[in-house]
């Protein structure tokens, strides 16, 4: 894979860019992230088989026995599917130790970590460049003798090019004729901008045109994706990424963003199966316990959700608010959020998806209810919609004989909740108040008092009370209260839907009273 690949397409010659995923090595350096061996194996299998990445870096050598077990498991699996050459392990210039460790795991590729800046060489290793190079050469020779392929990291290369370019060139001059297959150039501290990446990469490629260069970006200035694109524009043949941008400090370049920018903005070719980008994101999110931001491009929860009604209207008219990042491309679907800015177009799209047909007037009523809910809470889900439709169309008719004019419920520490209620029954208004064991209990007792004292009528007995969130809904949007009543020998249920649990129960109660009036 070291040789340059190009693909002829409708736009002419298109470069092929190798993608190496570092989630299991560099991504695991995210604070608080530590994958279990079986988790590493599951992630590796998805990266290799489903995502079809070109290479995966799965560990650092000599870290722990648990790490060794994970590498052995991954290498065994990769060998079974004839992909062992795609599994790489970070190793160190430590004589034979890292190489033997990798060989003992069944690995065939070492990513040898060398120093790419003079400061790192002299101040961290306390060695002269000539000493460091000789040690690197011995490691390369030993790895080759053991049948292990070598790629070479020039750690802190970005600072090396800024502060000590002669050192970088010395290293390359000394190592260009060795068995190193790929030279991997990291922006270890995430200090570069795209213009610097272009400048430094072009210098490297001009001096060493026959070599395969990878770029390894860090995101300290939020430029990892931009810098990765700049590297490709300047001749890089490979990029390093992580799922969800995991990595030390601010993380690495996220695979999903790099993939779509390469394809859409540069017309480059990769091996990545885009339909699985969301699946691998969810898997790593679960194992890492690092949540993906809802607005994270491509894989965020909300990125294919239109909120504004004007956008839904535009999508109904030749997809005016769509770009090349269509959700189906990534195994997802576009959604139209329901809230105070939804408008009729959003409601209509969601009703269509659910197979619900409403008249224009019915849609207007449903839209009004969703707008009211949106003013009070964040968002209403599509799963909530059938409940809202039922609530609006079946139970809010102008012929209601019992209407709730106003009410007040309150609670205070150390005191029983109080309710004051005003209702209109068959055109006459009545008021009542009471205390209770809870806000809703106080409300019902106030109603009972009205029915007993003012109307000399019995009030149905509450037989059961259940509060649920509509399936697939959100706790901050809707609560459904289902109350079972007993009125003599008759048992029936009513439902109320609201963002507030007490308000939902009150709605169910008023519906019950209207049903009784209808029977009378």
């Amino acid at each position: 894979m070291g040789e340059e690949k190009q693909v002829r397409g409708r736009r002419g010659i298109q470069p092929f860019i190798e993608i190496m995923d570092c989630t299991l090595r560099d991504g695991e350096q995210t604070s608080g992230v530590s994958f279990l061996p079986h988790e590493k194996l599951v992630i590796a299998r998805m990266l290799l088989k489903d995502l079809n990445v070109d290479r995966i870096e799965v560990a650092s050598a000599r870290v722990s026995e648990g790490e060794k077990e994970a590498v052995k498991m991954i290498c065994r699996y990769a060998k079974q599917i004839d992909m062992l050459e795609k599994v790489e392990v970070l190793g160190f210039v430590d004589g034979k130790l890292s190489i033997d460790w990798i060989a003992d795991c069944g690995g065939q590729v070492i990513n040898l970590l060398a120093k790419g800046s003079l400061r790192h060489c002299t101040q961290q290793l306390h060695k002269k460049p000539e000493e460091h190079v000789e040690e690197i050469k011995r490691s390369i020779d030993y790895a080759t003798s053991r049948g292990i392929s070598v790629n070479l990291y020039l750690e802190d290369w970005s600072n090396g090019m800024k502060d000590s370019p002669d050192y970088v060139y010395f290293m390359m001059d000394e190592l260009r004729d060795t068995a190193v297959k790929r030279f991997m150039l990291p922006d270890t501290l995430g200090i570069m901008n795209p213009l610097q990446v272009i400048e430094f990469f072009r210098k490297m490629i001009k001096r060493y045109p026959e070599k395969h260069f990878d770029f390894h970006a860090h995101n300290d200035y939020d430029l990892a994706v931009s810098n990765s694109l700049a590297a490709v524009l300047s001749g890089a043949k490979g990029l390093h990424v992580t799922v969800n941008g995991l990595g030390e400090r601010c993380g690495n370049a996220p695979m999903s963003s790099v993939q779509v920018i390469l394809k859409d903005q540069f017309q480059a070719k990769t091996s990545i199966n885009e339909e699985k980008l969301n699946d691998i994101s969810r898997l790593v999110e679960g194992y890492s316990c690092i949540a993906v931001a809802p607005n994270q491009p491509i894989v965020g929860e909300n990125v294919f959700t239109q909120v504004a009604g004007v956008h839904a209207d535009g999508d109904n008219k030749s997809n005016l608010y769509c770009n090349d990042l269509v959700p189906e491309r990534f195994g997802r679907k576009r959604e139209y959020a329901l809230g105070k800015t939804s408008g009729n177009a959003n409601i209509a799209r969601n009703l269509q998806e659910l197979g619900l047909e409403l008249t224009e007037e019915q849609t207007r009523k449903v839209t009004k209810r969703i707008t009211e809910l949106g003013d009070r809470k964040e968002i209403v889900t599509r799963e909530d919609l059938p409940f809202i439709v039922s609530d609006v169309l079946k139970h809010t008719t102008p012929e209601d004989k019992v209407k709730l004019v106003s009410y007040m419920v309150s609670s205070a520490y150390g005191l029983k909740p109080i309710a004051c209620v005003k209702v209109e029954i068959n055109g006459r208004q009545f008021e009542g108040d009471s205390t209770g064991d809870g806000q809703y209990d106080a409300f019902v007792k106030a109603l009972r008092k009205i029915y007993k004292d003012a109307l000399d009528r019995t009030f149905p007995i509450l037989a059961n009370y259940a509060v649920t969130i509509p399936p697939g809904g959100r706790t901050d949007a809707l609560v459904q209260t289902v109350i079972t009543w007993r009125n003599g020998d008759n048992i029936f249920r009513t439902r109320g839907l609201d963002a507030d649990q007490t308000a939902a129960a009150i709605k169910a109660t008023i519906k019950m009273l209207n049903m009784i009036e209808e029977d009378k």
Side-chain angles (χ1 to χ4, degrees):
M1 279 209 188
E3 70 276 6
E4 181 174 6
K5 293 183 181 180
Q6 290 182 329
V7 180
R8 181 172 296 277
R10 61 185 178 87
R11 302 188 188 217
I13 297 297
Q14 298 170 314
F16 178 87
I17 306 301
E18 272 189 2
I19 300 297
M20 182 175 86
D21 181 86
C22 307
T23 305
L24 299 178
R25 199 277 299 175
D26 219 4
E28 198 177 27
Q29 293 176 194
T30 306
S31 178
V33 174
S34 179
F35 299 118
L36 296 173
H38 79 273
E39 293 174 341
K40 280 200 164 192
L41 176 61
V42 172
I43 294 171
R45 291 177 64 172
M46 182 171 280
L47 288 169
L48 291 172
K49 291 290 287 183
D50 297 335
L51 268 295
N52 197 38
V53 298
D54 298 288
R55 299 145 55 200
I56 57 174
E57 191 175 51
V58 299
S60 297
R62 302 173 53 212
V63 168
S64 67
E65 285 304 310
E67 196 80 331
K68 192 170 187 177
E69 181 59 30
V71 176
K72 286 182 177 180
M73 291 167 62
I74 293 170
C75 287
R76 282 197 298 267
Y77 167 74
K79 187 175 182 179
Q80 291 172 2
I81 60 172
D82 198 26
M83 291 187 180
L84 186 55
E85 78 284 353
K86 294 186 174 187
V87 177
E88 304 176 7
V89 179
L90 180 76
F92 307 97
V93 183
D94 53 11
K96 300 179 179 181
L97 296 177
S98 288
I99 297 165
D100 288 342
W101 191 94
I102 294 169
D104 191 44
C105 292
Q108 291 186 350
V109 183
I110 183 173
N111 292 339
L112 196 61
L113 187 67
K115 298 303 180 183
S117 69
L118 183 61
R119 288 178 67 246
H120 270 223
C121 179
T122 59
Q123 296 182 30
Q124 188 174 35
L125 298 182
H126 302 292
K127 296 180 184 294
K128 294 179 181 179
E130 293 80 7
E131 294 177 297
H132 188 35
V133 163
E134 287 307 311
E135 291 179 338
I136 294 170
K137 288 180 178 178
R138 286 196 291 271
S139 292
I140 294 170
D141 290 342
Y142 182 64
T144 302
S145 72
R146 296 219 54 180
I148 292 178
S149 178
V150 180
N151 302 315
L152 187 77
Y153 273 114
L154 288 175
E155 186 183 18
D156 200 38
W157 168 80
S158 48
N159 271 319
M161 291 299 290
K162 288 179 67 176
D163 304 329
S164 52
D166 289 341
Y167 169 84
V168 176
Y169 299 146
F170 167 76
M171 296 288 286
M172 287 297 305
D173 290 342
E174 290 292 319
L175 298 171
R176 67 189 302 177
D177 294 327
T178 64
V180 172
K181 191 172 184 180
R182 301 175 182 86
F183 288 89
M184 306 192 294
L185 310 179
D187 182 15
T188 303
L189 300 179
I191 60 167
M192 301 179 79
N193 63 53
L195 294 179
Q196 291 170 320
V197 174
I198 291 171
E199 176 189 354
F200 297 156
F201 246 92
R202 286 180 175 174
K203 287 179 178 179
M204 294 291 288
I205 289 171
K206 183 177 181 180
R207 291 179 69 107
Y208 313 101
E210 78 284 4
K211 293 303 172 187
H212 176 118
F213 290 114
D214 281 2
F215 182 60
H216 181 103
H218 279 264
N219 204 37
D220 295 70
Y221 281 94
D222 204 19
L223 290 171
V225 175
S226 299
N227 286 343
S228 296
L229 177 61
V232 168
L233 291 172
S234 306
K237 296 177 182 177
L239 292 176
H240 298 183
V241 299
T242 61
V243 178
N244 298 338
L246 291 182
E248 200 160 23
R249 303 185 312 277
C250 301
N252 295 27
M255 178 196 293
S256 54
S257 296
V258 168
Q259 164 62 25
V260 298
I261 286 178
L262 285 178
K263 182 175 182 180
D264 295 0
Q265 305 293 338
F266 189 52
Q267 290 77 54
K269 291 290 184 181
T270 71
S271 299
I272 299 296
N273 178 8
E274 292 183 336
E275 289 187 359
K276 298 298 182 179
L277 286 172
N278 191 59
D279 292 343
I280 190 68
S281 174
R282 299 284 78 77
L283 178 68
V284 171
E285 181 183 37
Y287 283 161
S288 68
C289 298
I290 302 294
V292 175
N295 62 339
Q296 175 75 24
I298 313 305
V299 296
E301 180 183 359
N302 296 341
V303 295
F304 297 116
T305 300
Q306 300 277 37
V307 176
V310 65
H311 291 173
D313 180 62
D315 287 348
N316 286 334
K317 300 170 180 175
S318 301
N319 290 324
L320 298 179
Y321 288 90
C322 294
N323 56 25
D324 288 341
L325 299 174
V326 294
E328 290 77 13
R329 175 176 164 185
F330 310 105
R332 302 183 64 182
K333 292 182 65 177
R334 190 172 303 283
E335 297 182 3
Y336 294 87
L338 302 170
K340 63 182 179 180
T341 61
S342 296
N344 286 332
N346 258 12
I347 307 299
R349 288 294 291 253
N350 279 279
L351 291 170
Q352 182 180 355
E353 288 285 335
L354 292 169
L356 298 174
E357 296 184 9
L358 300 183
T359 66
E360 185 175 336
E361 177 60 20
Q362 289 172 332
T363 302
R364 186 190 64 78
K365 289 181 179 180
V366 172
T367 302
K368 181 181 178 183
R369 175 63 62 84
I370 291 173
T371 301
E372 292 170 351
L373 290 167
D375 276 331
R376 297 164 56 187
K377 296 289 180 179
E378 293 181 13
I379 194 169
V380 179
T381 68
R382 180 184 297 169
E383 289 79 5
D384 295 324
L385 191 53
F387 295 87
I388 296 173
V389 170
S390 176
D391 187 60
V392 170
L393 300 187
K394 293 183 179 179
H395 302 294
T396 54
T397 61
E399 293 78 22
D400 283 349
K401 296 183 178 181
V402 180
K403 298 178 182 178
L404 185 61
V405 178
S406 63
Y407 72 92
M408 183 276 293
V409 291
S410 64
S411 61
Y413 180 73
L415 299 174
K416 279 197 167 188
I418 301 172
C420 298
V421 180
K422 180 187 287 188
V423 291
E424 181 179 304
I425 304 173
N426 295 319
R428 297 174 58 196
Q429 290 193 0
F430 304 91
E431 293 185 26
D433 58 78
S434 183
T435 61
D437 293 329
Q439 291 183 343
Y440 176 66
D441 185 55
F443 176 86
V444 171
K445 285 182 176 178
L447 279 178
R448 288 183 184 278
K449 186 181 292 187
I450 292 172
Y451 270 70
K452 179 180 179 181
D453 297 344
L455 299 176
D456 193 25
R457 287 169 55 182
T458 58
F459 195 91
I461 297 173
L462 190 153
N464 195 21
Y465 179 101
V467 178
T468 61
I469 301 167
R474 295 163 50 109
T475 56
D476 61 0
L478 289 177
V479 174
Q480 179 178 247
T481 302
V482 180
I483 303 178
T484 304
W485 306 94
R486 180 179 292 111
N487 190 28
D489 295 330
N490 187 20
I491 296 177
F492 59 98
R493 295 180 180 86
T494 56
R495 297 175 179 174
L497 197 70
D498 199 272
D500 179 82
Q501 178 179 325
T502 301
I506 289 173
K507 287 181 179 180
T509 305
I510 298 301
K511 291 171 189 175
M512 174 273 293
L513 295 175
N514 273 289
M515 291 172 69
I516 292 175
E517 293 301 319
E518 286 295 325
D519 290 342
K520 283 174 63 66

